[in-house]
Amino acid sequence: MNNCLKCRALVISLLILNVFQVSVASVVSIGDFNKDFFVMWAPDHVNTSSNGRERSLKLDQVSGSGFASTQMFLFGQIDMQIKLVPGNSAGTVLAYYLASDQPNRDEIDFEFLGNVSGQPYIVQTNIYVDGFDNREERIYLWFDPTEDFHTYSILWNLHQIVFMIDSIPIRLYRNHADKGVAYPRWQPMSIKTSLWNGDSWATRGGLDKIDWSKSPFIASFKNYTIDACVWKGNPRFCRADSSANWWNKRSFSTLTRVQKRWFKWVRKYHMVYDYCQDNQRFQNNLPKECFLPKY
C-alpha cells in the first residue's frame, strides 16, 4: 500500500513538473525597466524614472546609449510605447529590435530614421536570418511620433512576423522555409534598443548630417509588454501547441480581414521603399520570398 502511494505521488509530481516546465516557458511582463532590462552602454546617457516605469536614451557628441532585456525569447509578441526624438533629428537612428547573440545572427528590426524639422519620420524595418539581411522596407509615418507615445509591436511566431504600429500592421514576413526561404525560427533573441549617430546614411542617404547644436537628442520609452516564450535551452517548449503559446495558434497564422485592409492602406499610401521592388539592386534577381504570398 505504501509503495502504491509512493508510486502515485511520484506520478503526480512528474505531471506537476511537466506542467510547470511548459508554463514557465511563457511570461507576461508589464512594466519595470530596472527588472526586465539592463543598460548595454553609456549608463550616464540612460535615465529611468524612480518607479522604473519610464526610461529615456540620450545621444550627444560624447556617446549614444542603449539597453537590452535580461531574458531571451523564442516567439511571442513585444509591445513598446515610444516617443521619438523631436525637432531636427536628422542623422540620428533609434533602433528597437530583437537580436540573437550568434555570429550568424537573426534580427527583427524597427529603425526610426531622424528627419529635418517639418519632414515626416521614416520607419525602416529589416530582417536578418543566419547573418544575412538585405530585406529593408521603409514607410512614412502618418502622424508626428514626437508629440506623444505610440505603440510599436513585433509579433513573431512559427507562421509569420508582423510589424505593427498602434495595432496597424505595416509589414509582414511569412514563414516560407518549406519553399527554401530563410526564416528566423531556431535562435532565441533578446529585446534591444539603442540611439546612435547614423548620419553617414540615415537621412537622405547621408546628405543631412547631425546638427550637434540641437543635442542632446532624447527618445523615451514606457508601458512595454513582453508576452513571449522565455528561452530555457530547448526550443520544443516555445514551438509547442499549448495554451501558453497563444501566438502559435492557427488564428495568428495570418492577418484578420480588418488587418489586411489596414496593411493594404499602409502599402498604398505610406510605402517609401520595398526591397522586393528594387530590381536594380538585385540585378533583376529578386529574393524568392518576393514572389510568394504574404498571407
Side-chain angles (χ1 to χ4, degrees), residues 31 33 37 46-49 52-58 65-67 80-84 94-97 112 149-150 152 192-195 218-224:
F33 283 98
F37 294 89
V46 180
N47 185 58
T48 307
S49 64
R53 299 294 177 176
E54 297 190 27
R55 176 167 283 183
S56 64
L57 295 179
K58 180 172 73 172
S65 51
F67 60 88
M80 182 81 75
Q81 289 193 355
I82 306 174
K83 185 192 290 186
L84 301 187
L94 176 65
Y96 157 57
Y97 59 110
F112 305 94
F149 286 87
H150 291 266
Y152 302 88
K192 298 184 178 182
T193 69
S194 58
L195 179 59
I218 307 290
S220 303
F221 307 80
K222 69 175 185 178
N223 294 346
Y224 66 86

Side-chain angles (χ1 to χ4, degrees), residues 165-177:
I165 300 176
D166 294 333
S167 300
I168 294 175
I170 65 162
R171 181 177 183 176
L172 304 178
Y173 186 79
R174 188 140 200 87
N175 184 353
H176 288 299

Side-chain angles (χ1 to χ4, degrees), residues 147-162:
E147 288 186 346
D148 203 353
F149 286 87
H150 291 266
T151 303
Y152 302 88
S153 306
I154 297 170
L155 170 65
W156 171 37
N157 62 30
L158 286 168
H159 314 288
Q160 61 180 350
I161 296 166
V162 186

Side-chain angles (χ1 to χ4, degrees), residues 251-266:
S251 56
F252 294 95
S253 65
T254 188
L255 298 185
T256 67
R257 186 176 301 175
V258 172
Q259 286 178 320
K260 289 176 183 177
R261 286 204 296 266
W262 278 116
F263 177 67
K264 290 176 181 177
W265 173 79
V266 170

